[in-house]
């Protein structure tokens, strides 16, 4: 696994954390606040010191924070939250990916800038998600 993919699986946004618990990014933000890990829309110093949070500002300078997936999940479970079963988490991730793909298709439909090539790539990328897995369900 490449360093970038490993980093992206380790450090996640609030949406990815929320999917683990069946909550939205906003709701998981509130739970992080209740657990003392977030305040004023950013991680607390305790979250940074504990290795739970990482500042990852966007290219345009907008503040952005990532959460250490395993450590933050453990802290939220310790605070009383219950995780969803792994198969539900995987399904939620696929649903989110499908929504993003649908949004991109709609955006491209309104675009005249190389739409055919973009649509072809997007459809190819979607096909890569449907390789048969070990259970034979067709979803990886």
């Amino acid at each position: 696994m490449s360093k970038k993919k490993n980093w992206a699986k380790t450090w996640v946004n609030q949406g990815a954390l929320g999917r683990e618990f069946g909550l939205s990014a906003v709701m998981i933000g509130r739970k992080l606040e209740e657990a003392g890990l977030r305040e004023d829309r950013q991680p607390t110093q305790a979250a940074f010191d504990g290795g739970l949070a990482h500042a990852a500002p966007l290219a345009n300078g907008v503040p952005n924070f990532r959460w250490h997936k395993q450590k933050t999940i453990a802290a939220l479970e310790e605070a009383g939250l219950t995780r969803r079963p792994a198969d539900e988490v995987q399904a939620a991730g696929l649903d989110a990916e499908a929504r993003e793909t649908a949004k991109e298709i709609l955006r491209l439909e309104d675009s005249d800038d190389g739409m055919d090539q973009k649509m072809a790539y997007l459809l190819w990328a979607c096909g890569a998600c449907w390789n048969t897995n070990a259970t034979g369900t067709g979803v990886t």
Side-chain angles (χ1 to χ4, degrees):
M1 185 182 302
S2 73
K3 273 188 171 184
K4 187 173 184 177
K5 283 186 180 182
N6 192 30
W7 190 90
K9 286 185 177 196
T10 301
W11 296 96
V12 297
N13 62 22
Q14 285 182 202
L17 281 177
R19 280 192 293 279
E20 295 286 330
F21 294 95
L23 300 172
S24 69
V26 172
M27 288 304 298
I28 205 70
R30 290 182 184 148
K31 298 297 182 184
L32 288 165
E33 287 174 3
E34 290 172 14
L37 300 173
R38 185 173 178 258
E39 185 176 76
D40 297 326
R41 302 185 68 182
Q42 61 184 1
T44 60
Q45 191 60 48
F48 284 116
D49 293 345
L52 278 75
H54 175 76
L58 301 177
N60 62 3
V62 172
N64 183 39
F65 303 97
R66 296 290 174 160
W67 295 90
H68 190 283
K69 186 176 179 180
Q70 295 307 318
K71 289 179 181 180
T72 306
I73 287 171
L76 290 170
E77 286 177 326
E78 191 175 304
L81 283 178
T82 304
R83 283 177 78 179
R84 292 164 62 169
D87 59 337
E88 287 182 24
V89 173
Q90 182 182 13
L94 291 173
D95 287 347
E97 187 176 337
R99 279 192 299 279
E100 289 304 313
T101 300
K103 285 184 204 175
E104 184 66 6
I105 288 171
L106 291 173
R107 186 189 70 75
L108 291 173
E109 189 174 55
D110 293 336
S111 171
D112 292 330
D113 182 30
M115 185 175 82
D116 293 338
Q117 289 179 343
K118 291 177 183 177
M119 287 292 287
Y121 172 76
L122 192 55
L123 292 173
W124 171 83
C126 288
C129 296
W130 290 96
N131 293 328
T132 303
N133 65 10
T135 63
T137 62
V139 180
T140 58

